[in-house]
Amino acid sequence: MRFFPAFVFFVLSQTALCQDPWKNVYRESAWEDRDKWQCADKLLGFLKIQEGSHVADIGCHEGYMTVKLSKTVKAKGKVYAIDVDQSRLNTLKRRLEDRKIENVTVVKGDYDNPKLPTNALDAVIILDTYHEMDDHDKILDHIKSSLKKGGRLVLCEPIAENRRGLSRADQETKHELGINYAIEDLEKAGFSIIHKEDPFVDRHDVKGDMMWVIVAVKK
């Protein structure tokens, strides 16, 4: 059997990665393009945050929404940027330092616990991450405990049209989730759903799917 030299394999894999339109939408290099389809301003509007608000970005990746949240709540506010991947958090920390952003606290969470302060937050956003979590009941319980009364939770997740009828487990193996499963979770957790859109974002040209959004409130 013939083997490629290591450096040749590296070059080929990186070239394929750069040419693949389904990759890297969360990296800073893709943020400008992401602004064209993610409807980030609408997501910020759903959160109903302002200067001085305290908010969490769960599944922050490299900080796309974190940076926008930071600008919204300004110096008097606070943003908790949560992720389970330490390498992503390290990248985010460097980005925050480079931009001299000081109102963000970076937290390494668990798959079933975002490690947030109790009764301290005005809003929480989970963008394209809820489907990755291990125990949704525990996650929502922690989030509910972290929110003030009337605090908002915004969920935004993808689902391809041809996978809407699949089981939850099958959808999650594709890194997707139907809105019906999230609604069941939120109602079970005791949240009040005040807004939902399905579809919300069309990203067929980017990831081959649509995204829905739910706005829920802690009673």
Side-chain angles (χ1 to χ4, degrees), residues 69-118:
L69 292 167
S70 171
K71 291 178 180 178
T72 302
V73 303
K74 300 182 180 178
K76 294 181 180 180
K78 191 174 187 64
V79 180
Y80 293 89
I82 318 296
D83 208 285
V84 297
D85 188 317
Q86 188 61 54
S87 64
R88 291 175 186 163
L89 295 177
N90 291 340
T91 298
L92 176 55
K93 286 179 181 179
R94 291 193 297 271
R95 182 160 296 123
L96 295 172
E97 290 172 1
D98 291 343
R99 298 179 183 222
K100 295 181 171 54
I101 295 175
E102 298 180 348
N103 63 346
V104 175
T105 297
V106 175
V107 180
K108 187 176 187 299
D110 295 330
Y111 280 92
D112 61 357
N113 185 357
K115 299 181 180 179
L116 294 168
T118 302

Side-chain angles (χ1 to χ4, degrees), residues 51-168:
E51 182 177 0
S53 294
H54 287 209
V55 59
D57 179 13
I58 301 179
C60 61
H61 292 82
E62 295 184 10
Y64 174 76
M65 285 302 298
T66 299
V67 172
K68 296 179 186 298
L69 292 167
S70 171
K71 291 178 180 178
T72 302
V73 303
K74 300 182 180 178
K76 294 181 180 180
K78 191 174 187 64
V79 180
Y80 293 89
I82 318 296
D83 208 285
V84 297
D85 188 317
Q86 188 61 54
S87 64
R88 291 175 186 163
L89 295 177
N90 291 340
T91 298
L92 176 55
K93 286 179 181 179
R94 291 193 297 271
R95 182 160 296 123
L96 295 172
E97 290 172 1
D98 291 343
R99 298 179 183 222
K100 295 181 171 54
I101 295 175
E102 298 180 348
N103 63 346
V104 175
T105 297
V106 175
V107 180
K108 187 176 187 299
D110 295 330
Y111 280 92
D112 61 357
N113 185 357
K115 299 181 180 179
L116 294 168
T118 302
N119 197 35
L121 303 182
D122 299 291
V124 172
I125 185 168
I126 306 178
L127 176 57
D128 201 358
T129 303
Y130 187 68
H131 62 269
E132 300 284 358
M133 297 172 176
D134 284 347
D135 192 323
H136 298 89
D137 292 342
K138 285 185 179 180
I139 283 286
L140 291 178
D141 185 54
H142 285 300
I143 291 172
K144 192 175 179 182
S145 295
S146 73
L147 286 169
K148 302 173 185 176
K149 185 176 181 179
R152 293 190 168 205
L153 168 60
V154 173
L155 294 182
C156 186
E157 290 289 311
I159 185 70
E161 190 63 34
N162 63 347
R163 288 194 279 269
R164 286 179 178 270
L166 297 181
S167 70
R168 180 173 194 149

Side-chain angles (χ1 to χ4, degrees), residues 162-206:
N162 63 347
R163 288 194 279 269
R164 286 179 178 270
L166 297 181
S167 70
R168 180 173 194 149
D170 287 341
Q171 288 178 358
E172 289 179 342
T173 62
K174 301 294 185 181
H175 304 282
E176 297 178 342
L177 188 68
I179 192 171
N180 54 309
Y181 294 117
I183 290 173
E184 290 175 3
D185 292 347
L186 290 165
E187 290 178 342
K188 180 181 177 182
F191 281 90
S192 177
I193 296 172
I194 61 172
H195 181 76
K196 56 187 175 181
E197 288 185 47
D198 184 18
F200 170 63
V201 168
D202 183 346
R203 62 177 199 176
H204 271 109
D205 294 339
V206 182

Side-chain angles (χ1 to χ4, degrees), residues 43-58:
L43 292 172
L44 291 171
F46 290 144
L47 291 168
K48 293 293 184 184
I49 55 174
Q50 57 191 350
E51 182 177 0
S53 294
H54 287 209
V55 59
D57 179 13
I58 301 179

